[in-house]
Amino acid sequence: MRKILPLAGSIAVIGANSLVLSPIAGAVALSFPGIDAAGVMTAAAIYGLATAISALVLAPGIDRIGQRAALRRSLLVMMAALALSAAAPNLPVLCLAQALAGLAAGCALPAIYVLSAHVAEKGRESETLGLVLTGWTVSLVAGVSLSALIADFAHWRLVFAALALAAGWLAVAVHRSRELAVPTPATRPSSPLTALRVRGIAPALLTVAAYMAAFYGLYAYLGSHLTGALQLSTAAAGLAPMAYGLGFGIATFADRLLDRHGATAAAPVTFLGLGLVYVALAATSAHAAILIALCFAWGAANHIGLNLIVARLTALDPTQPGAIMGLYSTVTYLAASAGVFFYRPLFERFGLAGCAVASAGCIVPALATALIQRRRRPVSGTEGRKFIRFRLKNGG
């Protein structure tokens, strides 16, 4: 756990900052005369754009300086950006601070994913990565909820101040952790172009793009559907992301099954299950209680699917993991923006059901790739011997 906690904690801080502006935008706007909540969300958009640019341009440097050093420096920059956000006197300064936070996040996230693969014990790679990914659960369930309470009962500036302190503490923890001192694998300069030449990267990034557009496109309009079409209160609508986050976290217990049965066998089942969850969300979009309950299954399936995708990418080329995971983060944030943009006309015309059907369609590339990989998987010696014994035992 000493190896995993700084990584999961770093994801929690980054995730909390990326999600926190939405629920406290109204409170932030009160501190900036002439600015409304929608204007405050400009800072969130700038954060996402800066993260994508950083992951594309700066993340390949991780392969040169090492993952631990990159994560430590990113957390220090994140701490400064969050402190500047807490002290921002106006919206332009807040936007500048969030741009700086995005640059830090674009380097930190690839470093975290690569480190999780390095520190995992043999045979427990998926379980370790799953535990690291629970940082997203903490940011969604605890970070966002607590931030809203702090903004209501104290002040929104305390939210960013607390996150800044957490980022500073994590930077110290990463610096002191001997377990995270892994060798730098790069033997040649890496860049987005060298990463794009890696065999298998193109279909993997296509899967990432469709997968992330499916999630963010639907998630962006879930709250509007619950409070609008279904006329739930804001507090009741908050049960949906909470259920999603709990499902995402509890699915960690299933990650060890990935290590036991293998990603190749688990991927088709996982992506088929996720597609069926999207279909079920579309079919039950008019029933609030069922919809919220299905968000739990949605979170669990998304956790396992994300685990499979990240594990596949980190295994493509061990000599330039930073550049590859930088491409992953870039595609993720671009797909998130594209999902929100292209799902809007679907939501306006067909409601949440139309968005959920579109998301089910977006899972098809991931499912197709998983099925192709399973057909091409070579049979290991152990599997071959088991097959021969089975045939002999059954007369064949």
Side-chain angles (χ1 to χ4, degrees):
M1 291 303 296
R2 288 187 304 174
K3 298 182 290 185
I4 296 171
L5 282 177
L7 302 179
S10 298
I11 284 185
V13 170
I14 294 170
N17 179 67
S18 66
L19 297 169
V20 75
L21 267 179
S22 179
I24 69 172
V28 176
L30 294 176
S31 299
F32 302 151
I35 303 297
D36 58 8
V40 170
M41 291 307 294
T42 303
I46 291 175
Y47 169 84
L49 179 62
T51 303
I53 293 173
S54 173
L56 181 65
V57 178
L58 300 180
I62 295 171
D63 299 325
R64 184 177 66 257
I65 67 174
Q67 291 83 28
R68 184 174 73 160
L71 178 57
R72 183 180 66 247
R73 296 176 188 179
S74 298
L75 286 170
L76 290 174
V77 174
M78 179 67 73
M79 178 184 66
L82 291 169
L84 182 59
S85 297
N90 50 48
L91 182 59
V93 174
L94 180 63
C95 289
L96 176 64
Q98 285 300 300
L100 186 62
L103 294 177
C107 283
L109 288 173
I112 291 168
Y113 292 137
V114 176
L115 280 171
S116 68
H118 278 298
V119 303
E121 297 177 12
K122 186 175 179 59
R124 300 183 65 183
E125 293 84 358
S126 295
E127 184 179 359
T128 302
L129 178 58
L131 289 170
V132 172
L133 291 176
T134 56
W136 292 112
T137 300
V138 175
S139 68
L140 186 64
V141 176
V144 176
S145 300
L146 288 176
S147 297
L149 290 175
I150 293 173
D152 279 343
F153 293 102
H155 202 281
W156 65 266
R157 296 186 186 277
L158 292 179
V159 173
F160 288 108
L163 290 175
L165 289 174
W169 179 82
L170 286 166
V172 174
V174 169
H175 176 71
R176 291 181 175 178
S177 175
R178 295 181 179 180
E179 291 86 354
L180 297 181
V182 298
T184 304
T187 58
R188 63 182 188 277
S190 61
S191 70
L193 292 178
T194 61
L196 285 172
R197 298 191 191 105
V198 174
R199 184 177 181 181
I201 191 69
L205 291 179
L206 174 62
T207 297
V208 171
Y211 192 92
M212 295 303 178
F215 167 70
Y216 284 103
L218 183 62
Y219 187 83
Y221 299 103
L222 177 61
S224 298
H225 174 75
L226 292 171
T227 57
L230 300 186
Q231 297 183 339
L232 266 64
S233 66
T234 303
L239 293 175
M242 182 174 291
Y244 175 91
L246 290 173
F248 195 96
I250 289 177
T252 303
F253 296 104
D255 289 327
R256 64 187 61 184
L257 297 177
L258 299 182
D259 293 319
R260 184 181 306 169
H261 299 288
T264 306
V269 177
T270 299
F271 294 127
L272 177 60
L274 180 57
L276 292 176
V277 169
Y278 280 126
V279 172
L281 288 169
T284 61
S285 61
H287 306 281
I290 301 176
L291 194 64
I292 292 172
L294 281 173
C295 285
F296 180 89
W298 184 19
N302 248 354
H303 172 102
I304 299 173
L306 185 61
N307 192 321
L308 291 168
I309 289 173
V310 172
R312 177 188 174 192
L313 284 166
T314 55
L316 286 177
D317 187 351
T319 66
Q320 47 180 338
I324 291 174
M325 294 312 297
L327 287 176
Y328 162 80
S329 294
T330 300
V331 171
T332 293
Y333 279 90
L334 292 178
S337 300
V340 175
F341 177 79
F342 288 110
Y343 271 54
R344 181 173 181 176
L346 286 175
F347 180 71
E348 291 174 348
R349 183 166 184 178
F350 302 106
L352 191 75
C355 295
V357 170
S359 293
C362 287
I363 299 302
V364 171
L367 178 59
T369 301
L371 290 172
I372 292 172
Q373 286 184 326
R374 183 164 184 170
R375 290 190 62 183
R376 291 178 177 176
R377 183 185 65 167
V379 178
S380 67
T382 302
E383 289 176 328
R385 288 191 294 272
K386 287 182 178 178
F387 177 73
I388 292 171
R389 287 196 297 268
F390 174 80
R391 292 297 299 271
L392 291 174
K393 182 178 179 180
N394 291 273

